[in-house]
Amino acid sequence: MQIIYWLLLALMVVGIIGAVVPAIPGSSLILIGIIIWGIVSNSFAAIKIPLIVTVIVLLLSVGVDFLASYLGAKQAGASKWGQIGAIVGLIVGFLGLLPTLPFGGPLLGILLGPLLGAIIGEFIFRRDLWLAIKAGIGIVVGSLIGNLIQGLLAIAAVIVFVVTTWPQVFGT
């Protein structure tokens, strides 16, 4: 039982990382881990509170993601073209279609893709390089702040799970 518990905690750590790093599932992995623990331990009463907290975290994460990107774009004066460019850049960067340095691969693409995509999209719309760079940076900064908040929410969900289930597993 303890081995399964540790494996599920490892899955949840991947979920925390995924909450911060785009393109890796985040809070949903934590939720899956909690549900699996409920099935394995045959005690859904023990996971009721972590389950509720994680569902709330999952919903908040989606809201934070959209809100942070929107506020970052709005603060920098970005248009829809910049936001669309950032999304396209994220996809292209993640798939490794951007020319990258000999190191970094998809991770470098995830970081550079949205910035370059937002700048290109905004430049196509406004034809002003400085405004395009400013908007691109605003979109990326907003997204990064949103990802950090999502990471904190994911950590909180895992802490609630550990605090409520630890005595069940280790009797302490």
Side-chain angles (χ1 to χ4, degrees):
M1 195 74 143
Q2 291 178 353
I3 293 172
I4 294 171
Y5 188 79
W6 286 112
L7 289 173
L8 290 174
L9 283 180
L11 177 70
M12 291 180 192
V13 168
V14 172
I16 291 171
I17 293 167
V20 177
V21 177
I24 298 176
S27 300
S28 57
L29 283 180
I30 297 168
L31 183 63
I32 289 168
I34 291 172
I35 292 170
I36 291 172
W37 180 251
I39 293 169
V40 168
S41 69
N42 209 13
S43 173
F44 280 98
I47 65 163
K48 181 174 65 174
I49 292 172
L51 193 60
I52 291 169
V53 168
T54 305
V55 168
I56 291 170
V57 163
L58 184 61
L59 295 173
L60 284 174
S61 292
V62 171
V64 163
D65 194 26
F66 287 117
L67 185 62
S69 296
Y70 171 76
L71 290 176
K74 185 177 180 182
Q75 189 71 24
S79 68
K80 296 281 186 219
W81 282 86
Q83 294 173 345
I84 292 169
I87 292 169
V88 170
L90 174 67
I91 294 167
V92 170
F94 177 71
L95 295 175
L97 300 176
L98 288 177
T100 59
L101 299 173
F103 58 91
L107 185 59
L108 187 61
I110 287 172
L111 297 174
L112 290 179
L115 176 63
L116 294 175
I119 291 171
I120 291 168
E122 201 62 39
F123 184 74
I124 289 171
F125 180 68
R126 296 197 184 192
R127 303 279 185 215
D128 184 346
L129 185 59
W130 176 246
L131 286 175
I133 291 171
K134 181 181 170 190
I137 291 171
I139 289 171
V140 171
V141 167
S143 294
L144 289 176
I145 290 171
N147 288 348
L148 290 175
I149 293 170
Q150 288 177 35
L152 293 174
L153 289 170
I155 289 170
V158 172
I159 288 172
V160 168
F161 173 77
V162 170
V163 166
T164 57
T165 59
W166 190 271
Q168 176 187 2
V169 178
F170 298 102
T172 308

PDB file of all heavy atoms in Angstrom, residues 141-157:
ATOM      1  N   VAL A 141       4.970  37.374 -19.967  1.00  0.00           N
ATOM      2  CA  VAL A 141       5.061  37.632 -18.520  1.00  0.00           C
ATOM      3  C   VAL A 141       3.745  37.270 -17.836  1.00  0.00           C
ATOM      4  O   VAL A 141       3.727  36.635 -16.780  1.00  0.00           O
ATOM      5  CB  VAL A 141       5.455  39.103 -18.247  1.00  0.00           C
ATOM      6  CG1 VAL A 141       5.253  39.464 -16.792  1.00  0.00           C
ATOM      7  CG2 VAL A 141       6.900  39.338 -18.650  1.00  0.00           C
ATOM      8  N   GLY A 142       2.626  37.644 -18.449  1.00  0.00           N
ATOM      9  CA  GLY A 142       1.327  37.276 -17.888  1.00  0.00           C
ATOM     10  C   GLY A 142       1.162  35.773 -17.784  1.00  0.00           C
ATOM     11  O   GLY A 142       0.683  35.251 -16.773  1.00  0.00           O
ATOM     12  N   SER A 143       1.575  35.070 -18.811  1.00  0.00           N
ATOM     13  CA  SER A 143       1.483  33.603 -18.802  1.00  0.00           C
ATOM     14  C   SER A 143       2.380  32.998 -17.728  1.00  0.00           C
ATOM     15  O   SER A 143       1.988  32.051 -17.040  1.00  0.00           O
ATOM     16  CB  SER A 143       1.861  33.034 -20.163  1.00  0.00           C
ATOM     17  OG  SER A 143       0.935  33.422 -21.126  1.00  0.00           O
ATOM     18  N   LEU A 144       3.594  33.531 -17.582  1.00  0.00           N
ATOM     19  CA  LEU A 144       4.509  33.006 -16.563  1.00  0.00           C
ATOM     20  C   LEU A 144       3.969  33.225 -15.153  1.00  0.00           C
ATOM     21  O   LEU A 144       4.047  32.334 -14.304  1.00  0.00           O
ATOM     22  CB  LEU A 144       5.891  33.647 -16.707  1.00  0.00           C
ATOM     23  CG  LEU A 144       6.704  33.218 -17.925  1.00  0.00           C
ATOM     24  CD1 LEU A 144       8.001  34.007 -17.999  1.00  0.00           C
ATOM     25  CD2 LEU A 144       6.989  31.729 -17.895  1.00  0.00           C
ATOM     26  N   ILE A 145       3.414  34.398 -14.905  1.00  0.00           N
ATOM     27  CA  ILE A 145       2.820  34.675 -13.592  1.00  0.00           C
ATOM     28  C   ILE A 145       1.654  33.723 -13.339  1.00  0.00           C
ATOM     29  O   ILE A 145       1.505  33.164 -12.252  1.00  0.00           O
ATOM     30  CB  ILE A 145       2.399  36.148 -13.476  1.00  0.00           C
ATOM     31  CG1 ILE A 145       3.647  37.032 -13.416  1.00  0.00           C
ATOM     32  CG2 ILE A 145       1.517  36.377 -12.249  1.00  0.00           C
ATOM     33  CD1 ILE A 145       3.376  38.510 -13.520  1.00  0.00           C
ATOM     34  N   GLY A 146       0.834  33.513 -14.374  1.00  0.00           N
ATOM     35  CA  GLY A 146      -0.268  32.566 -14.248  1.00  0.00           C
ATOM     36  C   GLY A 146       0.216  31.162 -13.946  1.00  0.00           C
ATOM     37  O   GLY A 146      -0.357  30.452 -13.114  1.00  0.00           O
ATOM     38  N   ASN A 147       1.300  30.745 -14.595  1.00  0.00           N
ATOM     39  CA  ASN A 147       1.849  29.408 -14.350  1.00  0.00           C
ATOM     40  C   ASN A 147       2.384  29.271 -12.927  1.00  0.00           C
ATOM     41  O   ASN A 147       2.244  28.216 -12.308  1.00  0.00           O
ATOM     42  CB  ASN A 147       2.949  29.084 -15.355  1.00  0.00           C
ATOM     43  CG  ASN A 147       2.401  28.820 -16.739  1.00  0.00           C
ATOM     44  OD1 ASN A 147       1.199  28.663 -16.925  1.00  0.00           O
ATOM     45  ND2 ASN A 147       3.268  28.792 -17.723  1.00  0.00           N
ATOM     46  N   LEU A 148       3.005  30.324 -12.413  1.00  0.00           N
ATOM     47  CA  LEU A 148       3.499  30.273 -11.030  1.00  0.00           C
ATOM     48  C   LEU A 148       2.342  30.146 -10.041  1.00  0.00           C
ATOM     49  O   LEU A 148       2.422  29.381  -9.071  1.00  0.00           O
ATOM     50  CB  LEU A 148       4.343  31.505 -10.725  1.00  0.00           C
ATOM     51  CG  LEU A 148       5.695  31.559 -11.427  1.00  0.00           C
ATOM     52  CD1 LEU A 148       6.391  32.884 -11.134  1.00  0.00           C
ATOM     53  CD2 LEU A 148       6.579  30.394 -11.006  1.00  0.00           C
ATOM     54  N   ILE A 149       1.258  30.884 -10.282  1.00  0.00           N
ATOM     55  CA  ILE A 149       0.084  30.787  -9.409  1.00  0.00           C
ATOM     56  C   ILE A 149      -0.513  29.384  -9.490  1.00  0.00           C
ATOM     57  O   ILE A 149      -0.888  28.803  -8.473  1.00  0.00           O
ATOM     58  CB  ILE A 149      -0.954  31.870  -9.774  1.00  0.00           C
ATOM     59  CG1 ILE A 149      -0.395  33.257  -9.441  1.00  0.00           C
ATOM     60  CG2 ILE A 149      -2.278  31.630  -9.043  1.00  0.00           C
ATOM     61  CD1 ILE A 149      -1.226  34.408  -9.968  1.00  0.00           C
ATOM     62  N   GLN A 150      -0.565  28.830 -10.700  1.00  0.00           N
ATOM     63  CA  GLN A 150      -1.069  27.460 -10.851  1.00  0.00           C
ATOM     64  C   GLN A 150      -0.194  26.470 -10.099  1.00  0.00           C
ATOM     65  O   GLN A 150      -0.694  25.508  -9.499  1.00  0.00           O
ATOM     66  CB  GLN A 150      -1.117  27.080 -12.326  1.00  0.00           C
ATOM     67  CG  GLN A 150      -2.205  27.779 -13.092  1.00  0.00           C
ATOM     68  CD  GLN A 150      -2.153  27.405 -14.567  1.00  0.00           C
ATOM     69  OE1 GLN A 150      -1.822  26.273 -14.907  1.00  0.00           O
ATOM     70  NE2 GLN A 150      -2.491  28.337 -15.425  1.00  0.00           N
ATOM     71  N   GLY A 151       1.113  26.684 -10.113  1.00  0.00           N
ATOM     72  CA  GLY A 151       2.026  25.818  -9.369  1.00  0.00           C
ATOM     73  C   GLY A 151       1.764  25.870  -7.870  1.00  0.00           C
ATOM     74  O   GLY A 151       1.750  24.841  -7.196  1.00  0.00           O
ATOM     75  N   LEU A 152       1.529  27.071  -7.346  1.00  0.00           N
ATOM     76  CA  LEU A 152       1.220  27.210  -5.917  1.00  0.00           C
ATOM     77  C   LEU A 152      -0.096  26.528  -5.566  1.00  0.00           C
ATOM     78  O   LEU A 152      -0.209  25.883  -4.510  1.00  0.00           O
ATOM     79  CB  LEU A 152       1.181  28.695  -5.534  1.00  0.00           C
ATOM     80  CG  LEU A 152       2.522  29.425  -5.603  1.00  0.00           C
ATOM     81  CD1 LEU A 152       2.320  30.923  -5.350  1.00  0.00           C
ATOM     82  CD2 LEU A 152       3.508  28.840  -4.616  1.00  0.00           C
ATOM     83  N   LEU A 153      -1.085  26.664  -6.437  1.00  0.00           N
ATOM     84  CA  LEU A 153      -2.361  25.994  -6.203  1.00  0.00           C
ATOM     85  C   LEU A 153      -2.181  24.470  -6.210  1.00  0.00           C
ATOM     86  O   LEU A 153      -2.756  23.757  -5.384  1.00  0.00           O
ATOM     87  CB  LEU A 153      -3.384  26.405  -7.265  1.00  0.00           C
ATOM     88  CG  LEU A 153      -3.922  27.829  -7.188  1.00  0.00           C
ATOM     89  CD1 LEU A 153      -4.734  28.166  -8.436  1.00  0.00           C
ATOM     90  CD2 LEU A 153      -4.762  28.015  -5.935  1.00  0.00           C
ATOM     91  N   ALA A 154      -1.374  23.966  -7.134  1.00  0.00           N
ATOM     92  CA  ALA A 154      -1.127  22.524  -7.215  1.00  0.00           C
ATOM     93  C   ALA A 154      -0.401  22.025  -5.964  1.00  0.00           C
ATOM     94  O   ALA A 154      -0.731  20.953  -5.436  1.00  0.00           O
ATOM     95  CB  ALA A 154      -0.326  22.195  -8.470  1.00  0.00           C
ATOM     96  N   ILE A 155       0.568  22.788  -5.487  1.00  0.00           N
ATOM     97  CA  ILE A 155       1.272  22.413  -4.252  1.00  0.00           C
ATOM     98  C   ILE A 155       0.293  22.346  -3.088  1.00  0.00           C
ATOM     99  O   ILE A 155       0.329  21.413  -2.279  1.00  0.00           O
ATOM    100  CB  ILE A 155       2.429  23.406  -3.964  1.00  0.00           C
ATOM    101  CG1 ILE A 155       3.550  23.206  -4.979  1.00  0.00           C
ATOM    102  CG2 ILE A 155       2.951  23.231  -2.540  1.00  0.00           C
ATOM    103  CD1 ILE A 155       4.625  24.295  -4.938  1.00  0.00           C
ATOM    104  N   ALA A 156      -0.607  23.319  -3.016  1.00  0.00           N
ATOM    105  CA  ALA A 156      -1.606  23.325  -1.939  1.00  0.00           C
ATOM    106  C   ALA A 156      -2.487  22.077  -1.998  1.00  0.00           C
ATOM    107  O   ALA A 156      -2.787  21.468  -0.959  1.00  0.00           O
ATOM    108  CB  ALA A 156      -2.458  24.590  -2.022  1.00  0.00           C
ATOM    109  N   ALA A 157      -2.892  21.679  -3.207  1.00  0.00           N
ATOM    110  CA  ALA A 157      -3.739  20.487  -3.351  1.00  0.00           C
ATOM    111  C   ALA A 157      -3.002  19.236  -2.884  1.00  0.00           C
ATOM    112  O   ALA A 157      -3.580  18.381  -2.196  1.00  0.00           O
ATOM    113  CB  ALA A 157      -4.191  20.335  -4.800  1.00  0.00           C
TER     114      ALA A 157
END
